[in-house]
Short mmCIF file of all heavy atoms in Angstrom, two decimals:
data_model
loop_
_atom_site.label_atom_id
_atom_site.label_comp_id
_atom_site.label_asym_id
_atom_site.label_seq_id
_atom_site.Cartn_x
_atom_site.Cartn_y
_atom_site.Cartn_z
N LEU A 1700 -198.94 75.69 68.56
CA LEU A 1700 -198.79 75.92 69.99
C LEU A 1700 -200.15 76.21 70.58
O LEU A 1700 -200.99 76.88 69.98
CB LEU A 1700 -197.87 77.09 70.28
CG LEU A 1700 -196.37 76.92 70.19
CD1 LEU A 1700 -195.71 78.24 70.64
CD2 LEU A 1700 -195.89 75.76 71.01
N SER A 1701 -200.32 75.78 71.89
CA SER A 1701 -201.55 76.10 72.60
C SER A 1701 -201.18 76.61 74.00
O SER A 1701 -200.19 76.17 74.59
CB SER A 1701 -202.40 74.86 72.72
OG SER A 1701 -203.66 75.16 73.25
N ALA A 1702 -201.97 77.52 74.54
CA ALA A 1702 -201.71 78.02 75.90
C ALA A 1702 -203.02 78.08 76.68
O ALA A 1702 -204.12 78.12 76.11
CB ALA A 1702 -201.13 79.45 75.84
N GLN A 1703 -202.87 78.07 78.01
CA GLN A 1703 -204.03 78.10 78.90
C GLN A 1703 -203.62 78.74 80.26
O GLN A 1703 -202.51 78.46 80.74
CB GLN A 1703 -204.58 76.70 79.17
CG GLN A 1703 -205.79 76.68 80.15
CD GLN A 1703 -206.32 75.31 80.40
OE1 GLN A 1703 -205.64 74.30 80.33
NE2 GLN A 1703 -207.63 75.25 80.70
N TRP A 1704 -204.49 79.56 80.81
CA TRP A 1704 -204.35 80.02 82.17
C TRP A 1704 -205.67 79.74 82.86
O TRP A 1704 -206.72 79.75 82.19
CB TRP A 1704 -204.08 81.53 82.23
CG TRP A 1704 -202.76 81.94 81.71
CD1 TRP A 1704 -202.45 82.15 80.40
CD2 TRP A 1704 -201.59 82.28 82.46
NE1 TRP A 1704 -201.13 82.59 80.31
CE2 TRP A 1704 -200.60 82.68 81.55
CE3 TRP A 1704 -201.29 82.25 83.86
CZ2 TRP A 1704 -199.33 83.07 81.99
CZ3 TRP A 1704 -200.02 82.64 84.25
CH2 TRP A 1704 -199.02 83.03 83.32
N GLU A 1705 -205.67 79.59 84.18
CA GLU A 1705 -206.94 79.24 84.91
C GLU A 1705 -206.93 79.91 86.29
O GLU A 1705 -205.98 79.83 87.04
CB GLU A 1705 -207.07 77.76 85.05
CG GLU A 1705 -208.30 77.35 85.90
CD GLU A 1705 -208.51 75.87 85.94
OE1 GLU A 1705 -207.57 75.06 85.72
OE2 GLU A 1705 -209.69 75.47 86.21
N HIS A 1706 -208.06 80.55 86.61
CA HIS A 1706 -208.37 80.99 87.96
C HIS A 1706 -209.72 80.47 88.38
O HIS A 1706 -210.60 80.25 87.55
CB HIS A 1706 -208.37 82.50 88.08
CG HIS A 1706 -207.06 83.13 88.36
ND1 HIS A 1706 -206.19 82.67 89.35
CD2 HIS A 1706 -206.42 84.24 87.76
CE1 HIS A 1706 -205.08 83.46 89.35
NE2 HIS A 1706 -205.21 84.38 88.40
N THR A 1707 -209.92 80.33 89.72
CA THR A 1707 -211.19 80.05 90.31
C THR A 1707 -211.71 81.36 90.89
O THR A 1707 -211.01 82.05 91.59
CB THR A 1707 -211.03 79.02 91.43
OG1 THR A 1707 -210.55 77.79 90.90
CG2 THR A 1707 -212.36 78.72 92.13
N VAL A 1708 -212.98 81.72 90.56
CA VAL A 1708 -213.49 83.06 90.81
C VAL A 1708 -214.89 82.97 91.47
O VAL A 1708 -215.74 82.15 91.11
CB VAL A 1708 -213.64 83.82 89.43
CG1 VAL A 1708 -214.09 85.25 89.72
CG2 VAL A 1708 -212.34 83.79 88.69
N LEU A 1709 -215.05 83.84 92.47
CA LEU A 1709 -216.33 84.02 93.15
C LEU A 1709 -217.09 85.26 92.60
O LEU A 1709 -216.47 86.32 92.40
CB LEU A 1709 -216.05 84.23 94.64
CG LEU A 1709 -217.20 84.78 95.55
CD1 LEU A 1709 -218.30 83.75 95.71
CD2 LEU A 1709 -216.64 85.23 96.90
N VAL A 1710 -218.37 85.08 92.35
CA VAL A 1710 -219.21 86.26 92.00
C VAL A 1710 -219.58 86.97 93.29
O VAL A 1710 -220.22 86.37 94.15
CB VAL A 1710 -220.45 85.85 91.17
CG1 VAL A 1710 -221.24 87.10 90.77
CG2 VAL A 1710 -220.10 84.99 90.00
N THR A 1711 -219.20 88.24 93.46
CA THR A 1711 -219.53 89.02 94.68
C THR A 1711 -220.68 89.95 94.36
O THR A 1711 -221.19 90.03 93.20
CB THR A 1711 -218.30 89.84 95.11
OG1 THR A 1711 -218.00 90.79 94.08
CG2 THR A 1711 -217.11 88.96 95.37
N ALA A 1712 -221.11 90.70 95.39
CA ALA A 1712 -222.30 91.58 95.22
C ALA A 1712 -222.06 92.62 94.10
O ALA A 1712 -222.98 92.95 93.37
CB ALA A 1712 -222.58 92.28 96.53
N ASP A 1713 -220.83 93.05 93.97
CA ASP A 1713 -220.59 94.11 93.00
C ASP A 1713 -219.51 93.75 91.98
O ASP A 1713 -219.01 94.64 91.29
CB ASP A 1713 -220.23 95.43 93.73
CG ASP A 1713 -218.98 95.27 94.61
OD1 ASP A 1713 -218.45 94.13 94.71
OD2 ASP A 1713 -218.54 96.26 95.17
#
Side-chain angles (χ1 to χ4, degrees):
L1700 281 184
S1701 189
Q1703 178 178 31
W1704 293 82
E1705 175 174 24
H1706 273 312
T1707 299
V1708 184
L1709 164 71
V1710 184
T1711 63
D1713 58 357

